[in-house]
Amino acid sequence: MPAPTALPIWKIHTDILRTLQGGNRLVLVAPTGSGKTTQVPQMLLDAGVAGDKMIVVLQPRRVAARTVAARVASERGGKLGAEVGYQIRFDDHTSVGTRICFVTEGILLRWLQDDRSLSKIGAVVFDEFHERNLLSDVALALVKDLQQSQRPDLVMLVMSATLDAEPVAAYLNQCPILVSEGQSFPVEVGYLPVPDQRPFTVQAAEAVERILYEGEPGDILVFMPGRGEINGTLDALRGLRTQERVACIPLHGELEPQEQDRAFAPNSLRKVIVATNVAETSITIDGIRHVVDSGVARVARYDAERGIGTLLLEPISRASADQRKGRAGRTAPGTCHRLWTSIGHQTREERNTPEIQRSDLAEVVLLLHSLGIQEAATFDWLDKPDPQAVVRAEKLLTMLGALHEGRAELTPVGRQMLRLPMHPRYSRMVIEASQRGCVPDAALCAALVSGRDLLARLDRDDAQMKGLREMFEDSGDSDFITLMRAYDFAKENGFSFERCRSHGINAQVARQVEQTCQQILHAAQQQRLYDRDGGTTAKGDEALLRCLMAGFVDQLAKRRVPGKPECDLTEQRQGQLVRESVVQEAAFFVAGICLIRKTSVWPR
Ligand code: ADP
Ligand code: MG
């Protein structure tokens, strides 16, 4: 391994330090792999830029925070969690002596709630800023505000591989910009000649097969939107007919740390790494010469039908596609195989839209109110959110009982909600459950709605599956109860893939639900909303239904005609209960899960 000081970023080492010793802001643009994330925090530490305070590096992704912290700790010859540490939701590897700390944005925002002046922090590095996550925009605005008021000594450094630096520098009162060119090699790009309707997991496996067949050396990186598609691709790769043996390795945020490390570890076989867009710019795996790009990613959007933030599968922008391509040309010329046509490429967006302009703002608006910022729409943002989205968020928070009606101030329940790291709907449910003694059930429901669908959609004529499904439908009160029974079934069967599939249950989702539920319970316990050792008594469904109503109070529906699916919702919306619902009788109900189809616009 070459010495880290050979990385391109070291060429502008003096400029970086000079700028930050003379001023308190800098925007730094350098290509992926130049050493921004691993080297710059060390430069700041060694030059004493943060004094005796901590350097915090914000990372949009948990996998990146963890792996990069481990890398930097090992470069400095220390143990992870000592001088160099990381903290992500539910996982804290820091100690009193930690000087460089990699954290996800949510963590910094929590620290801000506990200590408004961030008194132990000397520098905040906003890494991967081009991703323009909602929380990184929020963090940037709040830290800027803090720096201009109480903490002029606080250093702010914004880093990115592809950032359009000018607007950010302008936002930071025309702060200096440093650009490092780095080095890269040409990458030959191939498109599909015509659109291919088959699953992209299968197409990707075929592209890998072609690369292997052509015999060009080098590891292969495949981009997929998420865990399900990654596993699908790995399955398809197992069916390949190739001479060469390869090591197929998944990489995404839900793997255990040791499994994540496999992607970085040297391998005697050629590696085929199938990753989410964590490998787009956040982390660098050496040795990649070929990229296969599905061209899609899961993107956070506000789902007006469900009244909730959700992840949608969407085409990536041209800027993202170029970053992915660049991963093949870091150390030698490479190839990039795009699973879309060159005409399709032209119709893609040029850049990603900042998340603040497209996503659910309820959690952020709650946070801002807790910090005394009541005018979220006109706050000093880099890009302003849609004022309607702010109104919608405030309305929801008021209905959930987190804000005082008309006063835009946090209620005691709002303060409690703030302490739970989840969407306000779910924190409201958990708080309600703590009063009604059914926290485990409410946590399970929150876990069931916050991820992908546990139950497969049934075909109209799938009578056999319908029969099996009825096993879970032992209550006409709520579809949540059906989901809970299905989950219990999966758990009792050890999340067996076969057993689950035969009943139309997605075993992977069930496993994820288990994890999320445990995390919610852990958070509830920390906030003394629940005592794991206190013993539980069966509370019956009534208590749980009350909690669901508390969390989805804005989704109250009234059936128009008894027995018919058409209904009126709050805010003059209309909808239709899906036919799979077990709730066939109730005149009033709460549309918590994806039960409503066809809705009019909200708000009007
Ligand atoms: P940037 O942030 O500019 O994209 P990084 O600081 O992440 O660059 O990476 C710089 C170099 O450090 C990479 O090119 C790679 O060679 C090496 N590196 C980074 N992380 C790891 C890791 N976890 N394991 C091995 N090498 C790594
Ligand atoms: Mg980086």
Side-chain angles (χ1 to χ4, degrees), residues 200-210 224 233 236-237 240 292:
F200 44 74
T201 49
V202 174
Q203 297 181 46
E206 281 184 10
V208 169
E209 187 171 25
R210 276 197 305 278
M224 283 289 150
T233 309
L237 284 167
L240 288 190
V292 176

Side-chain angles (χ1 to χ4, degrees), residues 36-37 127-128 281-282:
K36 295 182 299 300
T37 310
D127 199 7
E128 300 288 320
T281 55
S282 303

Side-chain angles (χ1 to χ4, degrees), residues 53-171:
K53 297 188 170 168
M54 187 159 75
I55 297 163
V56 177
V57 189
L58 299 187
Q59 289 291 330
R61 293 161 198 286
R62 285 175 289 158
V63 195
R66 194 191 66 77
T67 55
V68 168
R71 167 75 181 180
V72 175
S74 102
E75 280 185 17
R76 296 182 75 81
K79 252 187 79 190
L80 183 59
E83 184 190 42
V84 182
Y86 74 94
Q87 188 175 340
I88 57 185
R89 193 165 89 141
F90 306 123
D91 183 10
D92 181 0
H93 272 72
T94 58
S95 56
V96 219
T98 301
R99 307 293 311 285
I100 297 179
C101 190
F102 292 87
V103 303
T104 41
E105 288 97 358
I107 301 289
L108 181 80
L109 296 176
R110 270 174 204 283
W111 288 351
L112 257 172
Q113 284 167 41
D114 295 337
D115 172 11
R116 290 293 304 278
S117 64
L118 294 179
S119 53
K120 296 195 180 70
I121 296 171
V124 184
V125 181
F126 299 83
D127 199 7
E128 300 288 320
F129 197 73
H130 64 275
E131 291 214 2
R132 297 299 306 278
N133 284 312
L134 174 58
L135 295 188
S136 59
D137 274 20
V138 174
L140 187 74
L142 291 174
V143 172
K144 178 187 170 189
D145 189 52
L146 176 62
Q147 196 198 43
Q148 285 176 335
S149 51
Q150 306 169 45
R151 291 285 315 274
D153 62 304
L154 188 63
V155 166
M156 290 176 79
L157 169 54
V158 180
M159 307 200 296
S160 165
T162 67
L163 186 67
D164 197 2
E166 305 287 343
V168 183
Y171 172 69

Side-chain angles (χ1 to χ4, degrees), residues 78 93 120 125 141 147 227 239 264 287 308 381 435 442 451 488 505 536:
H93 272 72
K120 296 195 180 70
V125 181
Q147 196 198 43
R227 173 161 98 162
F264 299 93
I308 211 167
W381 301 107
Q435 287 154 12
D488 288 342
I505 301 172
T536 45

Side-chain angles (χ1 to χ4, degrees), residues 16 42 143 174 184 202 251 258 280 336 358 369 440 479 591 601:
I16 296 173
Q42 300 190 63
V143 172
Q174 306 297 345
S184 62
V202 174
L251 178 62
Q258 309 84 284
E280 189 173 299
C336 172
R358 57 176 156 80
H369 274 286
D479 298 289
V601 278

